[in-house]
Amino acid sequence: MPLKDEGPSSMSSGEEQGSDVESSSERCDSMTSASDLDCSRESFTSDCSSKHCSPSSSPPKTLTLDEVMDSAKDLSNLSLAHEITVNPNFRLEMNNLPQDSLWKLVRDNVHKAFWDILESELNDDPPEYGQAIRLLEEIREILLSFLIPGSNRMRTQIMEVLDMDLIRQQADNDAVDIQGLASFIITTMGKFCAPVRDEEIRKLRESTDNMVTLFREIFRVLDLMKADMVNLTINNLRTVLHRNGVEYERATFQSIVDKTPSALEHTTSWIKSALEELQSVAVSKEQSKGQRLVPGPFQVINTAFLSLLMWDCSQRPLPETLMTDEARLREIQWQLQRAQAVNEVLLIVYSTIGGPIQGLSSLSDRLKRMTSVLLEGMHSPSFNLGEALEGVSAQICCELNKSLTERGYPALSPALQDALKGQICSITQRDNPIRTLVEDRVQQYFAALIFAPKPEVKLEQVPAGLTAIKPELALIGAKFNSLVDYNKMVYGPFYADIIRKLLFSNSPPAASAPLDPPQDSVTSK
């Protein structure tokens, strides 16, 4: 995306935005006073227990195999329902195995053996129909599965034409009309298929292949039609889940919690870490203000969500309540990681070169695009960031020299090029000041976003120094905010119960939550 006309080092408007974000962040970081705590204690410590809440002193429960399998089934249903609800592009695709995979080799050999046997039987004199009858039985069941309730006439017709007892009798007398049965099957498929499959049906009707090849093609198109039917069901479910998805996901997760005592172990640890972080800030503020400060539940859960942006899944497992969004969260982390690196590179370039390249939006755009492309896939374990940055710095120096000489400026001296390359490559170091600055400003941006009553207003208000990646931040921020809001709606009652017990109980939180959120809810901004 093109940058604004000013270069990254021209930040007058950005500074104003930055101050607004920082002040907003400071308001978000402020603590709840003891008097405020007393007001909310009543609702937060009120009896919100139900049949779903088990006391924290409950003894450990040994799970049976059936309970483990039931929980796994519930988790599968939960993941599928969540994906259908939040991903409008989710659909079933045909399973195309990798070309050199063992599974593909086994599957292809098994299929080849089946069709070879069928061809051998039909070529016998007289023909054998054992394999063909099994084939027709399966086709009949697939066609019947496409019927909607009330399609009695079509069901009767399929059962009459594909009458297995009659076909077996015909086979005994070598009187099976395979061509006629294939024609009926193709015609019936044409009545059931989606318009997108009409061309496939036409090819089947006009096929001049032998019977074995024709039936292989029939099965291929039937597989496509089955996928179409599943995707139609998914679309119908999406409408229902949009109305009832929160309640369904919450109830399904509650059933997992009921069967698995440790189902909220990682979630509790995640929230506890956020609470301890806020409490450590509160201690220093208490010393300066002389009053007791206690984090509020709203601050705790939002601080916990902010920590997800830097979450290392290889070191700590994700909270159980985020498992259905793991892929989306990782994608957000990767996009943010690359955007930050691009911004760091551009800041170094503009602070090092200065005036001769200020205000050249086309140059800024080229440098940004080039850097972003060269850093594609930087989240991959096999990606060598140091080598990539060396390539980035070399390309940038070439681009800068070209731009400078075209406008009558001297090219960069070898010493300046080496200095620029060294600074760009140094952003791999955790304590690099440019890297630290960008990461801190990005955290300010997301803090202002997640704490704002109307986050859409904050999407375009990036802190000073992040102007170059403003479009990317707005897009990533919208995705992250959507993920957080939906997660709060589903799991807010569980979070509220955990925070309540962490704040007001000496015992560890129970692994359960009421289905009805308490009044002091963490599900809203």
Side-chain angles (χ1 to χ4, degrees):
M1 294 183 177
L3 297 174
K4 295 295 183 183
D5 291 337
E6 70 275 14
S9 60
S10 177
M11 300 294 182
S12 58
S13 60
E15 294 289 354
E16 295 174 2
Q17 294 172 345
S19 62
D20 176 59
V21 173
E22 289 168 8
S23 61
S24 174
S25 178
E26 289 172 1
R27 290 195 297 272
C28 297
D29 290 339
S30 62
M31 297 295 159
T32 306
S33 66
S35 59
D36 293 333
L37 177 67
D38 293 336
C39 295
S40 63
R41 181 186 293 270
E42 182 178 352
S43 61
F44 220 68
T45 58
S46 60
D47 182 15
C48 61
S49 62
S50 68
K51 64 180 181 180
H52 300 287
C53 291
S54 57
S56 58
S57 58
S58 298
K61 178 185 176 184
T62 302
L63 296 178
T64 65
L65 178 60
D66 287 341
E67 287 174 324
V68 172
M69 296 302 293
D70 286 344
S71 294
K73 181 180 178 182
D74 288 337
L75 182 59
S76 177
N77 291 338
L78 175 63
S79 299
L80 180 59
H82 182 77
E83 195 65 29
I84 292 173
T85 303
V86 303
N87 183 1
N89 298 317
F90 176 75
R91 57 184 283 110
L92 177 70
E93 300 291 347
M94 295 299 297
N95 184 22
N96 294 319
L97 297 174
Q99 194 65 31
D100 57 347
S101 71
L102 177 61
W103 284 111
K104 185 177 188 303
L105 181 63
V106 172
R107 186 192 66 179
D108 290 349
N109 285 334
V110 170
H111 287 186
K112 183 177 184 302
F114 175 87
W115 296 112
D116 286 348
I117 293 172
L118 176 63
E119 185 169 22
S120 175
E121 289 186 348
L122 293 179
N123 288 334
D124 282 348
D125 189 17
E128 293 288 336
Y129 292 101
Q131 200 81 328
I133 289 174
R134 285 191 289 273
L135 188 73
L136 292 171
E137 282 181 318
E138 186 171 350
I139 290 176
R140 184 183 70 173
E141 294 308 310
I142 294 173
L143 293 177
L144 291 174
S145 72
F146 292 151
L147 294 173
I148 62 175
S151 303
N152 297 327
R153 182 177 177 182
M154 181 62 71
R155 178 182 296 275
T156 301
Q157 186 179 11
I158 293 172
M159 296 298 292
E160 287 179 350
V161 176
L162 297 177
D163 184 338
M164 291 301 112
D165 292 334
L166 177 60
I167 292 174
R168 287 189 181 91
Q169 292 176 18
Q170 293 173 341
D172 292 339
N173 296 286
D174 192 17
V176 178
D177 182 8
I178 290 290
Q179 182 68 53
L181 293 174
S183 178
F184 169 77
I185 290 168
I186 294 170
T187 300
T188 306
M189 290 168 62
K191 296 177 182 179
F192 291 149
C193 73
V196 71
R197 305 300 173 199
D198 286 345
E199 180 62 20
E200 299 279 3
I201 299 298
R202 185 188 64 78
K203 290 179 181 178
L204 290 177
R205 287 197 179 104
E206 297 174 356
S207 174
T208 57
D209 295 326
N210 61 44
M211 282 296 102
V212 174
T213 303
L214 178 60
F215 272 102
R216 290 185 71 162
E217 284 300 296
I218 286 174
F219 260 92
R220 183 184 66 81
V221 178
L222 283 173
D223 282 340
L224 294 174
M225 291 173 60
K226 285 190 288 186
D228 293 339
M229 187 66 69
V230 172
N231 287 324
L232 177 62
T233 303
I234 287 173
N235 285 334
N236 293 336
L237 277 175
R238 183 174 286 115
T239 303
V240 176
L241 288 172
H242 277 164
R243 293 196 300 265
N244 308 298
V246 170
E247 291 77 9
Y248 174 80
E249 289 190 42
R250 188 184 299 161
T252 304
F253 188 76
Q254 181 65 65
S255 68
I256 296 173
V257 168
D258 292 339
K259 297 168 188 172
T260 313
S262 60
L264 285 171
E265 178 182 354
H266 300 313
T267 303
T268 301
S269 175
W270 168 57
I271 294 176
K272 185 178 180 182
S273 295
L275 176 60
E276 290 172 349
E277 177 186 339
L278 290 172
Q279 285 175 332
S280 66
V281 175
V283 169
S284 59
K285 290 190 175 182
E286 285 173 16
Q287 295 172 351
S288 61
K289 293 186 178 180
Q291 59 177 333
R292 183 186 173 212
L293 300 173
V294 180
F298 171 64
Q299 293 170 290
V300 174
I301 195 59
N302 279 349
T303 301
F305 274 111
L306 279 174
S307 70
L308 295 175
L309 292 170
M310 305 293 289
W311 194 273
D312 187 350
C313 295
S314 65
Q315 300 296 322
R316 296 175 62 192
L318 271 176
E320 296 85 352
T321 53
L322 270 299
M323 294 305 293
T324 52
D325 279 312
E326 180 175 1
R328 269 173 287 277
L329 181 59
R330 287 191 180 221
E331 185 68 24
I332 288 172
Q333 288 178 327
W334 295 339
Q335 291 175 355
L336 187 59
Q337 182 184 12
R338 184 164 63 146
Q340 288 179 168
V342 170
N343 194 86
E344 290 157 14
V345 169
L346 293 179
L347 281 179
I348 290 172
V349 170
Y350 277 86
S351 63
T352 302
I353 307 304
I357 60 172
Q358 294 296 338
L360 301 176
S361 59
S362 59
L363 176 62
S364 299
D365 185 39
R366 287 199 303 275
L367 295 179
K368 176 182 174 181
R369 258 198 329 269
M370 180 181 64
T371 304
S372 183
V373 169
L374 292 175
L375 295 180
E376 178 75 38
M378 64 180 292
H379 59 274
S380 171
S382 61
F383 188 87
N384 190 316
L385 182 58
E387 290 182 1
L389 289 173
E390 288 181 5
V392 167
S393 59
Q395 290 291 329
I396 284 178
C397 286
C398 290
E399 195 68 36
L400 290 175
N401 284 332
K402 178 183 176 183
S403 176
L404 289 170
T405 55
E406 285 177 350
R407 291 178 295 110
Y409 288 94
L412 301 178
S413 66
L416 186 55
Q417 291 187 51
D418 289 341
L420 183 60
K421 291 177 181 178
Q423 289 185 58
I424 289 175
C425 292
S426 70
I427 64 174
T428 57
Q429 302 168 8
R430 288 296 309 172
D431 59 348
N432 179 275
I434 296 293
R435 177 173 175 171
T436 302
L437 172 68
V438 171
E439 289 179 352
D440 288 347
R441 296 288 173 86
V442 167
Q443 284 293 307
Q444 289 177 23
Y445 173 79
F446 280 94
L449 190 66
I450 200 172
F451 279 92
K454 295 182 178 179
E456 61 276 4
V457 176
K458 298 289 185 179
L459 285 174
E460 301 294 329
Q461 299 178 7
V462 301
L466 303 183
T467 307
I469 57 170
K470 179 178 177 180
E472 288 77 14
L473 278 182
L475 182 61
I476 297 170
K479 289 181 181 178
F480 184 66
N481 202 65
S482 176
L483 184 153
V484 169
D485 283 349
Y486 190 80
N487 188 275
K488 283 181 180 179
M489 285 192 291
V490 175
Y491 300 105
F494 296 91
Y495 298 149
D497 192 60
I498 291 172
I499 296 171
R500 175 177 61 85
K501 291 175 181 177
L502 285 172
L503 286 173
F504 306 123
S505 172
N506 292 324
S507 59
S512 59
L515 287 180
D516 296 323
Q519 290 180 348
D520 190 8
S521 175
V522 296
T523 61
S524 59
K525 287 284 184 184

